[in-house]
Amino acid sequence: MQLRFVGCGDAFGSGGRLNTCFHISGESANFLVDCGATSLPALKRYGISRDALDLVLITHFHGDHFGGLPFLLLEAQFAKRKRPLVIAGPAGIDIRLTRVMEALFEHASATKPSFDLQVIALEPAIARSFGPVTVTPFPVVHGDSGGPFYAYRIEAEGRTLAYSGDTQWTPTLVDAAHDADLFVCEAYTYDRAVKNHISLKLLESHLPQINPKRLILTHMGDEVLHRLDSITHLAASDGMIVEL
């Protein structure tokens, strides 16, 4: 099984990086985690079949994590997709998806798709299985709008992947990511405290509690990107592939 960073940037495209979207694929698993506004062209750039996807997991409703769904769904409709698709995320995802579809493509939400589309709200700390993929959401802290906000612990094909989503430090990250085979975590700033995000230095102070087998940094702002040559942790880049 492998993870490809289709996009690993922040909301401002720092470093010219694309919005957050991760593709995980294996013998039976094939899904996305987040689908930011740039995701469809990025998926095409890397030759990733949208028709083969079974699941899209959304961490929260900010545009750099959620705004690509209308484009993904519109392409599926025009391509006459037949394969079922599940979109899952925090409570309110059905209403949020309808609103963003209408904002970008008027009347699109009223069109019956050519495929079985399920939009499912996930409950905090309750595991939910989608075929070979089991997902447990953990609430995190990322402001007052665009939520609820989740980190995910994902189990598939004998591997455990954890993703912080966007959040300031919260102890639920330990629950989400402890002993994971891979922990993908935001590091928006280097050592500067910023509301609703984690600095790299604060993350490092909690790594002994989390104890992931591997850590990859994502959603990095300019002050982290400018220090990549001196940072010892692996940092994501658009298109990077990691074997799980």
Side-chain angles (χ1 to χ4, degrees), residues 110-240:
T111 302
K112 182 176 174 55
S114 59
F115 55 97
D116 179 21
L117 174 64
Q118 296 184 64
V119 181
I120 295 174
L122 300 174
E123 297 296 326
I126 297 178
R128 181 77 181 258
S129 292
F130 302 97
V133 180
T134 299
V135 182
T136 307
F138 292 86
V140 292
V141 182
H142 187 52
D144 300 321
S145 64
F149 306 96
Y150 281 158
Y152 284 127
R153 186 176 182 89
I154 302 166
E155 297 171 280
E157 299 185 13
R159 295 290 183 268
T160 300
L161 164 68
Y163 171 46
S164 66
D166 283 6
T167 181
Q168 64 191 52
W169 172 256
T170 172
T172 56
L173 289 177
V174 179
D175 298 326
H178 67 88
D179 302 320
D181 293 297
L182 175 62
F183 180 31
V184 179
C185 188
E186 75 135 274
Y188 184 61
T189 62
Y190 182 72
D191 56 6
R192 183 170 53 96
V194 175
K195 188 178 180 181
N196 302 325
H197 286 286
I198 303 173
S199 72
L200 174 59
K201 290 302 178 182
L202 183 58
L203 170 62
E204 287 177 336
S205 72
H206 290 285
L207 284 178
Q209 295 172 267
I210 302 170
N211 193 39
K213 293 183 175 68
R214 284 190 290 172
L215 170 72
I216 299 181
L217 307 178
T218 191
H219 206 279
M220 296 164 283
D222 286 332
E223 65 186 66
V224 177
L225 294 174
H226 292 159
R227 289 178 167 90
L228 288 184
D229 288 344
S230 61
I231 290 172
T232 58
H233 306 291
L234 184 60
S237 58
D238 292 349
M240 187 171 81

Side-chain angles (χ1 to χ4, degrees), residues 46-64:
Y46 300 123
I48 297 169
S49 170
R50 284 76 62 208
D51 194 57
L53 297 170
D54 296 311
L55 171 67
V56 181
L57 295 171
I58 297 295
T59 59
H60 64 286
F61 304 124
H62 287 158
D64 57 321

